[in-house]
C-alpha cells in the first residue's frame, strides 16, 4: 500500500515556526519526544544558496523551517510512504517528501522561498497507526491536509 499526503496553504498561528510530522502508535501515543527520527535532505533557496545534510537521533522531524504568518508566507507539502502496515513491527517507518515554503520575515531572518526534498525514517519496531502534522510552536492558522491511499 502507498499513502499520499498533500498539505496546501499551510500557515502557523505563531510566526517563525517549523512544520513537523510525528508517527502515532496504534494505541494513540504520539512519538514526539523520542530521538529515533533520521532525515536526509537537500534544500534550494530563491537567493541561490543550497545545502544538503543528514541528521540522526533527532526529536524534531521538520518538513518546513521558519514559516511565517504574513499573508504571503505559507507552505505546501507533498509526502508519501509505502506499506505503513499498522500490524508490522519491521524496523524503519519511512516517509519521503517535497516541500516549498516562504520563510518568515522576522528580523534577522532572510525572508525567501525554499524548496526542500528528503526522506525521513522513524527507527522503531513499535506498530504505528498514523501520523500527526504539528507546528513546533502554536497552532494552525490555515491549511488543508488531504490523504489518499493506493492499494498496490
Amino acid at each position: 500500500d502507498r499513502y499520499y499526503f498533500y498539505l496546501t496553504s499551510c500557515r502557523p498561528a505563531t510566526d517563525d515556526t517549523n512544520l513537523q510530522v510525528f508517527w502515532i502508535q496504534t494505541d494513540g501515543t504520539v512519538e514526539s519526544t523520542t530521538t529515533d527520527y533520521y532525515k536526509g535532505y537537500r534544500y534550494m533557496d530563491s537567493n541561490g544558496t543550497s545545502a544538503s545534510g543528514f541528521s540522526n537521533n533527532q526529536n524534531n522531524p521538520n518538513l518546513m523551517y521558519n514559516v511565517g504568518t504574513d499573508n504571503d508566507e505559507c507552505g505546501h507539502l507533498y509526502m508519501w510512504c509505502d506499506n505503513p502496515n499498522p500490524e508490522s513491527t519491521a524496523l524503519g517507518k519511512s516517509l519521503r517528501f517535497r516541500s516549498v515554503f516562504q520563510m518568515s520575515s522576522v528580523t534577522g531572518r532572510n525572508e525567501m522561498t525554499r524548496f526542500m526534498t528528503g526522506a525521513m525514517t522513524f527507527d522503531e519496531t513499535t506498530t504505528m497507526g498514523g501520523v500527526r502534522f504539528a507546528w513546533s510552536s502554536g497552532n494552525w492558522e490555515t491549511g488543508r491536509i488531504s490523504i489518499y491511499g493506493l492499494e498496490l
Side-chain angles (χ1 to χ4, degrees):
D1 296 341
R2 178 174 284 177
Y3 290 88
Y4 297 94
F5 303 84
Y6 295 92
L7 285 71
T8 55
S9 301
C10 301
R11 183 178 297 122
T14 304
D15 201 17
D16 197 32
T17 59
N18 306 325
L19 182 64
Q20 303 174 329
V21 61
F22 301 102
W23 283 101
I24 301 172
Q25 293 182 21
T26 52
D27 68 0
T29 303
V30 178
E31 293 288 351
S32 61
T33 58
T34 184
T35 58
D36 291 335
Y37 287 97
Y38 294 74
K39 180 174 67 176
Y41 63 91
R42 176 162 178 78
Y43 70 77
M44 291 138 284
D45 293 338
S46 58
N47 68 359
T49 61
S50 66
S52 60
F54 174 76
S55 43
N56 59 359
N57 295 328
Q58 64 175 354
N59 64 356
N60 57 344
N62 297 325
L63 302 168
M64 297 181 201
Y65 289 89
N66 311 112
V67 180
T69 57
D70 294 346
N71 286 335
D72 64 345
E73 296 173 344
C74 69
H76 310 280
L77 170 76
Y78 166 60
M79 185 178 84
W80 67 100
C81 60
D82 290 320
N83 197 21
N85 184 348
E87 298 172 5
S88 173
T89 57
L91 187 62
K93 281 60 171 171
S94 295
L95 303 167
R96 288 170 295 286
F97 67 95
R98 311 280 183 270
S99 61
V100 61
F101 49 97
Q102 182 67 26
M103 297 175 76
S104 176
S105 60
V106 166
T107 303
R109 288 250 183 253
N110 293 325
E111 179 182 13
M112 68 184 92
T113 302
R114 174 172 283 178
F115 171 76
M116 190 165 154
T117 182
M120 193 175 314
T121 298
F122 181 60
D123 203 20
E124 267 288 335
T125 57
T126 307
T127 56
M128 298 295 154
V131 294
R132 176 181 180 211
F133 296 98
W135 295 101
S136 57
S137 178
N139 296 314
W140 288 78
E141 183 173 312
T142 64
R144 178 182 173 144
I145 300 173
S146 301
I147 303 169
Y148 301 96
L150 176 66
E151 187 174 344
L152 300 175

